[in-house]
Amino acid sequence: MAINITDYFKSDDDSKTIEVNLTAEQVEQIGKELDDLRARIVADLGQSDRDYIYGIIEAQRKLEFVGRALMYVPFIPPLWLAGVGALGASKILDNMEIGHNVMHGQYDWMREDTYNSREFDWDNVCPGDQWKHSHNYMHHTFTNVLDEDRDIGYGILRMARDQKWNPYYLGNLGYAFALMVLFEWGVMVHDLEVEQIVQRKRGWKDIKGLVSGQWRKAGKQVLKDYVLYPLLSGPFFATTLIGNAGANLIRNVWAYSIIFCGHFPTGTQTFTKEETENETKGEWYLRQMLGSANIDGGELFHIMSGNLSHQIEHHLFPDVPANRYPEMAEEVRALCEKYGLPYNTGSLSHQLASTWSKIAKLSLPNSFTSDDNNVVLNIERAGDAAKATRSEKVA
C-alpha cells in the first residue's frame, strides 16, 4: 500500500520508519511502466492540448489588459487594488503555466514560431537561455543531488542536513524571506553561482557573458514596468509604478511558495553523488519521485501553479504538457501504491508550514535538532552481489 507521507509525518510516533525494499528488476519495471505512461500521453497529444495552452495565453493577456487599465483609476482604491491583483495573476500565468512549461519544450511538438522552447521570452528579469541551463539542465538532471543541484538552497540557504553548517546559516529564515520577495532576481543571478564568486572560484571572465545577458533582459523589464507604463499613465505615474511593483511582488511570493513546497517539505529526499553514480533510468525515476512533493488543490489552483502543484509528475516528465499531469498523477500514485513507495502530497498550508519549519530547523547545527522520521530505501542494484542500501534521513 502507498504511504501518504503527509499523513505519516503528522503521526506522533517518532519511532516509525518507512522502509521500502526493491529488487533491481522491480526498479527497472517501475522505469518501464513510467516510460509506457509517458509514451501513451505523448501519442495522445493533439488539438485539445493546443486549445488549452492558447486558452491560457488568452486569459493571461486579458488579465494583463484589465490590470494595466485599472492602474488609471487609483482614485478608486478597490478598482486599483483589483488591477494590481489582475496584473499579478497575469504575471503568474505568464511565468508558470506558460513560460516555465513552454521553455521546457512541452509545446515544441506544435511547431509554432512563438510558443516553443527556442523562441519564447517571458515577463521576467532572468534571460530564458540562462534559466534553461540552470533549471532544465542542472536541476532536472541532478535533482536533489548534493553539490550538483544548485536549487538545493539556491546558493544561499541550507536545505539539507548533509550540508555542512556554519554560523552564516543562522540567517536561514531571513535569507529565505528575502529570496521570496525578490524571487525573480534570485532566479536571474542563479546561474552566476554567486557563492563561487565570493569564494573567488569564479572570476569576471567566467561570468561576463552571463552578466551581459542579464543586464539586457533585466533592463528591458525594469524599463517596461517602472518607466514606460508609469509614464503612459501620466499623472498616475507614482501609483502605477507602485502597482507594477506590487504585481511583481505577488508573482514572486506565489512562485517561491509553489516551488519550495514542491521541493523541500518534510519527506523530500536528497542524495549524494556516490549514490547516483551509474544510475539507471529506473533509479533516476525513483530519485525524481523521492525528491519531489505535490500540493493538493482544485483545477484553478493547479493552473495558477503552472501545474507545479504536481511537482512529482513534472520531475518525472518535464517535457510533457503540464495540463496532462493531473491524469498522469493518478497512475503515478497507483504505481507508488503497487510498490509501497511514499507519495508526498498535502495541502498548501501544510506543505508551506513544513517547508518553513525545515528552513528554521536547518539554520541550526545538527546537534541542536533531531532527525524527523526516517525513510529507508533498499535497492538491489543490477550486478551487485548484495543489496545496496540507501538510508535517507528526512530533515
Side-chain angles (χ1 to χ4, degrees):
M1 180 177 182
I3 302 160
N4 185 324
I5 209 163
T6 298
D7 293 337
Y8 174 82
F9 283 103
K10 291 177 183 176
S11 170
D12 294 327
D13 185 358
D14 290 339
S15 65
K16 283 188 175 182
T17 297
I18 298 177
E19 184 168 356
V20 182
N21 299 293
L22 296 174
T23 66
E25 291 76 14
Q26 286 176 315
V27 172
E28 295 316 305
Q29 180 61 29
I30 290 171
K32 181 180 183 304
E33 292 187 44
L34 290 171
D35 280 340
D36 290 345
L37 171 58
R38 182 187 184 281
R40 279 189 282 112
I41 294 297
V42 169
D44 189 54
L45 296 178
Q47 190 60 44
S48 63
D49 303 283
R50 186 189 299 267
D51 292 343
Y52 174 83
I53 191 60
Y54 274 101
I56 296 297
I57 292 165
E58 182 180 5
Q60 181 271 323
R61 289 174 175 173
K62 287 179 178 177
L63 282 168
E64 181 175 11
F65 176 81
V66 170
R68 296 202 182 279
L70 291 177
M71 296 291 176
Y72 287 87
V73 289
F75 45 85
I76 308 178
L79 290 180
W80 183 83
L81 287 172
V84 175
L87 186 57
S90 166
K91 287 175 176 286
I92 288 170
L93 285 178
D94 176 273
N95 282 192
M96 302 186 76
E97 184 69 326
I98 303 172
H100 171 273
N101 295 336
V102 168
M103 288 196 289
H104 258 299
Q106 294 181 7
Y107 296 95
D108 284 1
W109 58 272
M110 297 196 313
R111 303 175 67 84
E112 298 283 354
D113 289 339
T114 303
Y115 295 99
N116 62 72
S117 59
R118 299 171 301 283
E119 304 296 332
F120 185 82
D121 191 19
W122 57 356
D123 183 10
N124 195 295
V125 296
C126 180
D129 60 333
Q130 294 185 28
W131 179 86
K132 284 183 282 189
H133 173 260
S134 62
H135 182 80
N136 289 11
Y137 173 65
M138 294 300 297
H139 174 57
H140 277 274
T141 302
F142 306 106
T143 308
N144 283 29
V145 179
L146 290 168
D147 300 322
E148 293 283 355
D149 181 7
R150 296 188 64 259
D151 278 24
I152 302 177
Y154 287 78
I156 61 173
L157 302 174
R158 184 172 185 246
M159 294 305 303
R161 291 180 67 85
D162 289 335
Q163 287 178 271
K164 185 178 179 180
W165 184 87
N166 67 62
Y168 163 85
Y169 290 120
L170 290 171
N172 229 27
L173 282 169
Y175 310 144
F177 181 81
L179 179 61
M180 177 180 69
V181 172
L182 301 170
F183 193 55
E184 65 171 328
W185 296 94
V187 172
M188 183 191 78
V189 302
H190 192 33
D191 217 27
L192 291 179
E193 301 183 26
V194 175
E195 74 279 8
Q196 299 290 325
I197 299 172
V198 172
Q199 297 170 18
R200 300 193 177 186
K201 295 179 180 179
R202 299 193 85 191
W204 175 248
K205 66 178 182 179
D206 301 309
I207 65 170
K208 62 181 180 179
L210 297 174
V211 172
S212 177
Q214 292 168 4
W215 178 262
R216 289 193 301 271
K217 185 65 168 73
K220 291 178 183 178
Q221 291 296 128
V222 170
L223 183 66
K224 181 184 77 171
D225 277 342
Y226 303 122
V227 179
L228 292 181
Y229 276 112
L231 281 174
L232 288 173
S233 63
F236 308 126
F237 179 94
T239 53
T240 299
L241 187 150
I242 292 169
N244 287 349
N248 282 324
L249 177 62
I250 290 170
R251 182 269 318 282
N252 287 347
V253 171
W254 179 256
Y256 168 95
S257 299
I258 295 297
I259 291 167
F260 268 57
C261 283
H263 293 86
F264 302 120
T266 297
T268 52
Q269 308 291 294
T270 56
F271 305 83
T272 65
K273 287 186 281 189
E274 291 73 23
E275 286 175 327
T276 59
E277 188 176 1
N278 300 319
E279 189 176 57
T280 67
K281 183 65 176 295
E283 291 169 353
W284 183 88
Y285 274 134
L286 280 177
R287 176 159 56 86
Q288 305 310 311
M289 290 191 282
L290 294 172
S292 310
N294 283 8
I295 312 170
D296 299 332
E299 182 178 1
L300 180 60
F301 173 77
H302 293 315
I303 290 172
M304 294 304 294
S305 74
N307 273 289
L308 294 180
S309 46
H310 294 98
Q311 192 69 236
I312 295 171
E313 288 69 34
H314 174 59
H315 273 274
L316 291 171
F317 313 108
D319 60 347
V320 171
N323 63 296
R324 293 301 191 104
Y325 291 160
E327 63 184 291
M328 299 179 88
E330 296 180 13
E331 296 195 40
V332 172
R333 190 161 190 164
L335 188 66
C336 288
E337 181 174 350
K338 178 179 177 180
Y339 289 96
L341 292 165
Y343 188 86
N344 190 336
T345 187
S347 67
L348 177 62
S349 60
H350 182 274
Q351 301 292 53
L352 273 173
S354 176
T355 299
W356 281 99
S357 175
K358 177 186 282 190
I359 293 170
K361 182 175 179 178
L362 291 173
S363 68
L364 301 173
N366 289 347
S367 59
F368 282 65
T369 61
S370 60
D371 281 345
D372 290 330
N373 305 49
N374 295 335
V375 175
V376 178
L377 175 61
N378 300 313
I379 300 176
E380 180 186 33
R381 306 193 80 170
D384 288 350
K387 284 186 178 181
T389 301
R390 175 177 294 145
S391 178
E392 298 296 335
K393 296 288 189 179
V394 179

